[in-house]
Amino acid sequence: MDVKKPFVVGAGIMGAGIAQLCAQKGYDVTVTDISDEIIDKARGKVIKGLQRRVEKGKISQEDMDSVLSRIYWVTGLELAADSDFVIEAVLENMDLKKEIFQKLDSLCSADTIMASNTTALSVSEIASATSRPEKIIGMHFFNPAVIMKLVEIIRGEQTTDETVEATKEFAEKLGKVPVVTFKEAPAGIVSRVLAGLLNEAAVVYADGIASPEDIDEAMKLGAGLPMGPLALIDMIGLDIHLAKMETLYNKLNDERYKPPDIIKQMVAEGKLGKKSGEGFYKY
Ligand code: NAD
């Protein structure tokens, strides 16, 4: 399948990044969010990021202008009706995702594939809100979507091979390396494997063993990680990390995934990070 008109729902960290990626790869892409204010902010961030690349000589002003001209910023879901491939990237909340998929299902043509960028929610449960579970799939980009090479493709129980193949092909056209799970898998591969490491780093900090900076430094130099685990939780966002752990804990019914108290406490206090160094280092 040759994707022609991608449509991205949610212009947050991931949605705006995915839209920018589509535009950089030559697609005319529409991206939507709930208010003009959020859209303006998202557009501003994309412009700033591209301007930085122009200043560094990585792209020309012409490239920047042409990328921006291919992103169509809107509010509302109506234009999804023209799309052949929708990527949803709204908050990690099952009720919200189901509501959006139900609306998309009534708007989009029967051939349209609808992917969720969910980190840890069940693709099958999202698909249950639609009349086309065979065309619903997890397409999990990593942050920043423009840069990170991996896309995890997560099947739902009824996702067909045809949908998987089309999603794989689209990911490759976006310059990504797709990996496909054999079956439904909450949190895919990377988030699940990382979960234990990130939680343990938070507990090491909560136990007063070392400063956040030293924990990260130790893990970078001692374990060869490109980024410290606490800086990574910050970048993911404490709230998103917590939601992921709660889903994993509930779905897999395994104590290894129980969210540590410190993470719950930080989220309750509104210390959400969202940028490396903004969460644990300032806590
Ligand atoms: P975010 O909070 O930055 O953005 C979510 C956006 O969704 C917000 O702008 C919000 O206004 C918008 N939204 C809410 N309701 C909407 C609606 N009805 N219609 C349109 N837009 C709506 O969140 P994010 O970090 O971009 O995460 C989005 C999804 O991607 C989540 O499912 C998350 O688990 C997943 N994800 C996040 C990361 C990460 O590192 N942040 C990485 C991979 C996947």
Side-chain angles (χ1 to χ4, degrees), residues 9-15 32-34 38 88-92 96-97 100 117-119 140-143 235-236 240 274:
V9 188
I13 297 170
M14 294 308 293
T32 186
D33 210 297
I34 47 175
I38 294 176
E88 166 277 312
V90 302
L91 311 174
E92 186 79 341
L96 177 63
K97 290 199 194 273
I100 285 170
N117 187 46
T118 179
T119 303
H140 186 223
F141 290 84
F142 288 74
N143 186 20
M235 195 172 110
I236 293 167
I240 303 242
K274 301 280 179 193

Coordinates of all heavy atoms in Angstrom, one line a residue, residues 9-15 32-34 38 88-92 96-97 100 117-119 140-143 235-236 240 274, ligand 1:
V9 N -3.3 12.4 14.9 CA -4.2 13.0 15.9 C -3.4 13.2 17.2 O -2.8 12.3 17.8 CB -5.3 12.0 16.3 CG1 -6.3 12.6 17.2 CG2 -6.0 11.5 15.0
G10 N -3.3 14.5 17.6 CA -2.5 14.9 18.8 C -1.3 15.6 18.3 O -0.5 15.0 17.5
A11 N -1.1 16.8 18.8 CA 0.1 17.6 18.3 C 1.0 17.8 19.5 O 1.6 18.9 19.7 CB -0.3 18.9 17.7
G12 N 1.1 16.8 20.4 CA 2.0 16.9 21.6 C 3.4 16.5 21.1 O 3.8 16.6 19.9
I13 N 4.2 16.1 22.1 CA 5.6 15.7 21.8 C 5.7 14.8 20.6 O 6.4 15.0 19.7 CB 6.3 15.1 23.0 CG1 6.3 16.1 24.2 CG2 7.7 14.6 22.7 CD1 6.7 15.5 25.5
M14 N 4.9 13.7 20.7 CA 5.0 12.6 19.7 C 4.3 13.0 18.4 O 4.8 12.8 17.3 CB 4.5 11.3 20.2 CG 5.3 10.7 21.4 SD 7.1 10.6 21.0 CE 7.1 9.4 19.7
G15 N 3.1 13.5 18.5 CA 2.3 13.8 17.3 C 3.0 14.8 16.4 O 3.1 14.6 15.2
T32 N -3.8 17.2 14.0 CA -4.9 17.9 14.7 C -4.7 17.8 16.2 O -4.1 16.9 16.7 CB -6.3 17.2 14.4 OG1 -7.3 18.0 15.0 CG2 -6.3 15.8 14.9
D33 N -5.2 18.9 16.9 CA -5.3 18.8 18.4 C -6.6 19.5 18.8 O -7.4 19.9 17.9 CB -4.0 19.4 19.0 CG -3.7 18.8 20.3 OD1 -4.5 18.9 21.3 OD2 -2.7 18.2 20.5
I34 N -6.8 19.7 20.1 CA -8.1 20.2 20.6 C -8.3 21.7 20.6 O -9.4 22.1 20.7 CB -8.4 19.6 22.0 CG1 -7.2 19.8 22.9 CG2 -8.8 18.2 21.9 CD1 -7.4 19.5 24.3
I38 N -3.0 25.1 21.5 CA -2.1 24.0 21.5 C -1.4 23.8 20.1 O -0.2 23.6 20.0 CB -2.8 22.7 21.9 CG1 -3.3 22.8 23.3 CG2 -1.9 21.5 21.7 CD1 -4.1 21.6 23.8
E88 N -2.6 7.9 15.6 CA -3.1 8.6 16.9 C -2.0 8.7 17.9 O -1.3 7.7 18.1 CB -4.3 7.7 17.4 CG -4.8 8.1 18.8 CD -3.9 7.4 19.9 OE1 -3.7 6.2 19.7 OE2 -3.5 8.1 20.8
A89 N -1.8 9.9 18.4 CA -0.8 10.1 19.4 C -1.3 11.1 20.5 O -0.7 12.1 20.8 CB 0.5 10.7 18.8
V90 N -2.5 10.7 21.0 CA -3.1 11.6 22.1 C -2.6 11.0 23.5 O -1.8 10.0 23.5 CB -4.6 11.6 22.1 CG1 -5.1 12.2 20.8 CG2 -5.3 10.3 22.3
L91 N -3.0 11.5 24.6 CA -2.6 11.1 25.9 C -2.8 9.6 26.1 O -3.7 9.0 25.4 CB -3.4 11.8 27.0 CG -3.5 13.3 26.8 CD1 -4.4 13.9 27.9 CD2 -2.1 14.0 27.0
E92 N -2.0 9.0 26.9 CA -2.0 7.6 27.2 C -3.2 7.2 28.1 O -3.0 6.9 29.3 CB -0.7 7.1 27.8 CG -0.5 5.6 28.0 CD -0.1 4.9 26.7 OE1 -0.3 5.4 25.6 OE2 0.4 3.8 26.9
L96 N -10.0 7.8 26.3 CA -9.8 8.8 25.3 C -9.5 8.2 23.9 O -10.0 8.6 22.9 CB -8.7 9.8 25.7 CG -8.3 10.9 24.7 CD1 -9.5 11.8 24.5 CD2 -7.1 11.7 25.2
K97 N -8.6 7.2 24.0 CA -8.2 6.6 22.7 C -9.4 5.9 22.0 O -9.6 6.0 20.8 CB -7.0 5.6 22.9 CG -5.7 6.4 23.3 CD -4.5 5.5 23.0 CE -3.2 6.1 23.7 NZ -2.4 7.1 22.9
I100 N -11.7 8.4 20.4 CA -11.1 8.9 19.2 C -11.2 7.9 18.1 O -11.6 8.2 16.9 CB -9.7 9.4 19.4 CG1 -9.8 10.7 20.1 CG2 -8.9 9.6 18.1 CD1 -8.5 11.3 20.6
N117 N -0.1 5.2 18.5 CA 1.3 5.3 19.0 C 1.4 4.9 20.5 O 2.4 5.2 21.2 CB 1.8 6.7 18.8 CG 3.3 6.9 19.1 OD1 4.1 6.1 18.7 ND2 3.6 7.9 19.8
T118 N 0.4 4.2 21.0 CA 0.4 3.9 22.4 C 1.6 3.3 22.9 O 2.2 2.4 22.2 CB -0.8 3.0 22.8 OG1 -0.8 2.8 24.2 CG2 -0.8 1.7 22.1
T119 N 2.0 3.6 24.1 CA 3.2 3.0 24.7 C 2.9 1.6 25.3 O 3.6 0.7 25.1 CB 3.8 3.9 25.8 OG1 4.0 5.2 25.3 CG2 5.0 3.3 26.4
H140 N 4.5 2.2 17.2 CA 5.2 2.9 18.3 C 6.5 3.5 17.9 O 7.5 2.9 17.7 CB 5.4 1.9 19.5 CG 5.9 2.5 20.7 ND1 6.9 1.9 21.5 CD2 5.5 3.6 21.4 CE1 7.1 2.6 22.5 NE2 6.3 3.7 22.5
F141 N 6.4 4.9 17.7 CA 7.6 5.6 17.5 C 8.3 5.9 18.8 O 7.7 5.9 19.8 CB 7.2 7.0 16.8 CG 6.7 6.8 15.4 CD1 5.4 6.5 15.2 CD2 7.5 7.0 14.3 CE1 4.9 6.4 13.9 CE2 7.0 6.9 13.0 CZ 5.7 6.6 12.8
F142 N 9.6 6.3 18.7 CA 10.3 6.7 19.9 C 10.6 8.2 19.8 O 10.6 8.8 18.7 CB 11.6 5.8 20.0 CG 11.2 4.4 20.4 CD1 10.6 3.6 19.5 CD2 11.4 4.0 21.7 CE1 10.2 2.3 19.8 CE2 11.0 2.7 22.0 CZ 10.4 1.9 21.1
N143 N 10.9 8.8 21.0 CA 11.1 10.2 21.1 C 12.5 10.6 21.0 O 13.3 10.0 21.8 CB 10.5 10.6 22.5 CG 10.5 12.1 22.6 OD1 10.6 12.9 21.7 ND2 10.4 12.6 23.9
M235 N 12.7 12.5 30.3 CA 12.4 12.8 28.9 C 11.1 12.2 28.4 O 10.3 12.8 27.7 CB 13.6 12.3 28.0 CG 13.5 12.8 26.6 SD 15.0 12.4 25.7 CE 14.4 11.2 24.6
I236 N 10.8 11.0 28.9 CA 9.6 10.3 28.6 C 8.4 11.0 29.2 O 7.3 11.2 28.6 CB 9.6 8.8 29.1 CG1 10.6 8.0 28.4 CG2 8.2 8.2 29.1 CD1 11.0 6.6 29.1
I240 N 3.7 9.8 31.9 CA 3.6 8.7 30.8 C 4.3 7.4 31.4 O 3.8 6.3 31.2 CB 4.3 9.2 29.5 CG1 3.7 10.5 29.1 CG2 4.3 8.1 28.5 CD1 3.0 10.5 27.7
K274 N 9.4 15.8 31.4 CA 9.2 16.1 30.0 C 10.4 16.5 29.3 O 10.4 16.6 28.0 CB 8.1 17.1 29.8 CG 6.7 16.8 30.4 CD 5.9 15.8 29.5 CE 4.6 15.4 30.1 NZ 4.0 14.3 29.5
Ligands
NAD1 P1 1.6 14.8 25.0 O1 0.9 15.0 26.3 O2 2.8 15.6 24.7 O3 0.6 15.1 23.8 C1 -0.7 14.5 23.7 C2 -1.6 15.5 22.9 O4 -2.9 14.9 22.7 C3 -1.8 16.9 23.6 O5 -1.4 17.9 22.8 C4 -3.3 16.9 23.8 O6 -3.9 18.2 23.7 C5 -3.8 16.0 22.6 N1 -5.1 15.5 22.7 C6 -5.9 15.2 23.8 N2 -7.1 14.9 23.5 C7 -7.2 15.0 22.1 C8 -8.3 14.9 21.2 N3 -9.5 14.5 21.6 N4 -8.0 15.2 19.9 C9 -6.8 15.6 19.5 N5 -5.7 15.7 20.3 C10 -6.0 15.5 21.6 O7 1.9 13.2 24.9 P2 3.0 12.5 24.1 O8 4.2 12.3 24.9 O9 3.1 13.0 22.7 O10 2.3 11.0 24.0 C11 1.3 10.7 23.1 C12 1.2 9.2 23.0 O11 2.4 8.7 22.5 C13 0.9 8.5 24.3 O12 0.1 7.4 24.0 C14 2.3 8.0 24.7 O13 2.2 6.9 25.6 C15 2.9 7.7 23.4 N6 4.4 7.8 23.4 C16 5.1 8.7 24.1 C17 6.4 8.8 24.0 C18 7.2 9.8 24.8 O14 8.4 9.6 24.9 N7 6.6 11.0 25.2 C19 7.1 7.8 23.2 C20 6.4 6.9 22.5 C21 5.0 6.9 22.6

